[in-house]
Amino acid sequence: MAHNRTPLTESSQEIFEKYQIDEEVGFALPNPLEELPAPYDEWISIAKNLPELIDKNELREKVDQLKIHSIDALKGHKSQRLAHLALGYITMAYVWNQGDGDVRKVLPKNIAVPYCELSEKLGLPPILVYADCVLANWKKKDPNGPMTYENMDILFWFPGGDCSKGFFLVSLLVEIAAASAIKVIPDLFKAVKNEDQNALQKALCYIASCLHQAHKEFEQINDYVDPSTFFNVLRIYLSGWKGNSQLPEGLKYEGFWNTPQKFAGGSAAQSSIFQCFDVLLGIRQSSGDESASRFLQEMRNYMPPAHQEFLLSLESGPSVREFVLSKGDPKLRADYNECVNAMVSLRNYHLQMVAKYIVIPSNKQENKGTGGTSVMTFLKSVRGTTENFLLRDN
């Protein structure tokens, strides 16, 4: 995707089209498909029955029996995204199986080859990423009903009952709430360019309200996700093979690469939306801890290419922060700080949830997140850097 990276001067409609962003659901895939035609329906069938196949210890045998399918007949972005999601689920299940330490280090070619070819076509890595399990793994029960937890479901499940649904859907609802702010980005840049303080304050207030709504959605995780099930079951299936002692060399994709490959597991750091607000507000994570900054940068490679391009285009836009600083207006500064504080608050809450869902169940002080980083250290660093960008009174 070779978009020229100029500041975003287009209308929000043009931005949505150019960068594969949806007006209603943001970076999420709008109305994902649920079925694929033959022969790819075999993949869907296995992915839909994962918990049962794993429980009966039949999953690996079923995968080993699959014929190898060319992806040439997989037409259309939505079909390709559904196939990537299904193959991602199957791959995680094949590697980790019953989560008891019986780990496979080789993904057989009948699944590895189409998965890797499809991943190259989509510009995504061949592992279950956030863009799969959160952004493309949902449907409405009543198509005309609202985007609420009660009216939504996921397409594929891992073992652990409703834990998958709770974790993926709450993550999606947080994402969608925050993404409502994307449509005011052109207003934001235009206001800076025209030195229109009123328009800028209005846009900043709207962004802050979207971030506050995202926080409210995040709180639902307590209602729908059990800490013990998340830690002992679901988390296993979200683990990658980079920095993982169970797969120190990585995973061998038979028939595609000659050597094992290392990829990080799905992680909220792979969400474009919060990196988007860091860029917009001039919160430079690169000024903080080097390893945290490097990890966030690396996670961009796990995002759909159009969304990576969108972040790059934002980086070449005018600096909202510099404009606010140059004006020295207390009200403008307060509105800017309200946005930064909303980001700090979300990251604080994320830390609390990591403590509840990972640290406490494990009874350990230091843990690796599914992305492979020391998760508390990473999140504290990101939160601390965010706080440092609050504009203090002189």
Side-chain angles (χ1 to χ4, degrees):
M1 194 154 303
H3 297 314
N4 45 350
R5 299 200 286 270
T6 51
L8 291 171
T9 48
E10 302 107 322
S11 69
S12 57
Q13 198 50 51
E14 287 169 319
I15 289 167
F16 289 140
E17 283 172 25
K18 186 173 182 178
Y19 298 106
Q20 292 177 8
I21 300 167
D22 183 78
E23 190 156 4
E24 189 185 1
V25 296
F27 293 109
L29 188 68
N31 305 311
L33 297 180
E34 294 177 48
E35 302 293 344
L36 289 174
Y40 311 113
D41 55 343
E42 286 189 324
W43 299 342
I44 301 296
S45 173
I46 292 178
K48 276 189 173 169
N49 293 297
L50 276 191
E52 188 186 343
L53 289 169
I54 291 169
D55 185 51
K56 292 178 174 173
N57 208 13
E58 294 172 359
L59 182 277
R60 285 173 173 164
E61 186 188 347
K62 198 96 170 149
V63 172
D64 290 336
Q65 290 167 353
L66 280 171
K67 288 191 174 69
I68 190 162
H69 299 308
S70 160
I71 62 159
D72 292 349
L74 257 181
K75 303 294 184 200
H77 184 71
K78 285 190 177 181
S79 292
Q80 291 167 3
R81 288 287 295 275
L82 175 58
H84 198 267
L85 168 66
L87 290 170
Y89 261 77
I90 293 168
T91 296
M92 295 321 231
Y94 192 88
V95 170
W96 304 118
N97 199 33
Q98 295 189 324
D100 54 5
D102 171 20
V103 176
R104 284 288 162 91
K105 296 180 178 178
V106 179
L107 191 67
K109 63 176 180 290
N110 52 357
I111 205 96
V113 171
Y115 190 24
C116 291
E117 287 177 349
L118 180 60
S119 296
E120 281 195 342
K121 191 174 258 195
L122 286 169
L124 292 168
I127 189 169
L128 189 75
V129 292
Y130 182 93
D132 298 317
C133 59
V134 173
L135 301 183
N137 187 25
W138 64 276
K139 64 179 179 182
K140 282 185 182 181
K141 292 176 185 172
D142 171 4
N144 302 314
M147 294 284 288
T148 57
Y149 190 90
E150 294 71 25
N151 189 42
M152 293 170 79
D153 214 336
I154 55 175
L155 308 184
F156 305 115
W157 307 63
F158 284 115
D162 279 345
C163 192
S164 295
K165 179 182 175 181
F167 187 64
F168 296 143
L169 277 189
V170 171
S171 299
L172 177 68
L173 290 168
V174 170
E175 176 88 20
I176 290 170
S180 298
I182 294 171
K183 59 179 167 286
V184 302
I185 290 175
D187 302 344
L188 201 71
F189 284 158
K190 197 172 161 192
V192 171
K193 191 167 169 260
N194 299 336
E195 301 206 10
D196 184 342
Q197 277 186 231
N198 284 342
L200 183 58
Q201 283 176 238
K202 195 174 163 192
L204 287 170
C205 288
Y206 185 72
I207 289 169
S209 73
C210 293
L211 292 172
H212 291 314
Q213 184 58 38
H215 194 297
K216 280 201 190 98
E217 299 289 356
F218 200 171
E219 289 168 15
Q220 292 187 85
I221 199 163
N222 298 288
D223 301 327
Y224 299 115
V225 182
D226 170 65
S228 174
T229 310
F230 175 79
F231 183 79
N232 294 304
V233 185
L234 181 58
R235 197 162 162 270
I236 293 167
Y237 296 100
L238 301 181
S239 300
W241 26 94
K242 183 172 184 176
N244 190 327
S245 58
Q246 290 187 287
L247 283 163
E249 305 296 314
L251 180 69
K252 180 132 193 319
Y253 294 81
E254 187 184 55
F256 198 81
W257 283 298
N258 293 327
T259 54
Q261 303 293 310
K262 295 179 181 180
F263 294 107
S267 156
Q270 295 169 3
S271 161
S272 304
I273 195 66
F274 297 108
Q275 294 214 30
C276 159
F277 289 119
D278 275 345
V279 173
L280 266 186
L281 298 168
I283 299 167
R284 290 197 323 280
Q285 291 295 340
S286 57
S287 68
D289 176 73
E290 194 188 332
S291 65
S293 165
R294 204 168 44 239
F295 180 69
L296 280 173
Q297 200 58 40
E298 184 196 333
M299 287 303 101
R300 289 197 184 186
N301 299 326
Y302 290 71
M303 299 172 186
H307 300 165
Q308 296 179 40
E309 286 288 337
F310 177 68
L311 293 177
L312 286 169
S313 70
L314 291 183
E315 284 170 347
S316 62
S319 170
V320 173
R321 181 182 171 81
E322 290 304 318
F323 179 77
V324 172
L325 273 169
S326 72
K327 288 298 163 197
D329 180 280
K331 179 75 181 84
L332 187 58
R333 183 183 290 245
D335 288 334
Y336 170 85
N337 277 346
E338 180 70 15
C339 291
V340 179
N341 269 322
M343 289 287 283
V344 172
S345 175
L346 271 164
R347 284 170 168 154
N348 255 332
Y349 196 70
H350 195 177
L351 268 166
Q352 290 170 34
M353 292 305 98
V354 167
K356 176 177 176 176
Y357 285 91
I358 298 176
V359 179
I360 294 168
S362 76
N363 298 318
K364 286 183 195 163
Q365 283 308 298
E366 194 52 64
N367 292 278
K368 294 248 174 133
T370 48
T373 55
S374 298
V375 68
M376 291 297 275
T377 309
F378 166 71
L379 287 171
K380 281 177 182 168
S381 165
V382 171
R383 179 195 59 188
T385 303
T386 308
E387 272 178 325
N388 290 341
F389 278 82
L390 284 164
L391 295 176
R392 315 286 178 189
D393 293 327
N394 297 331

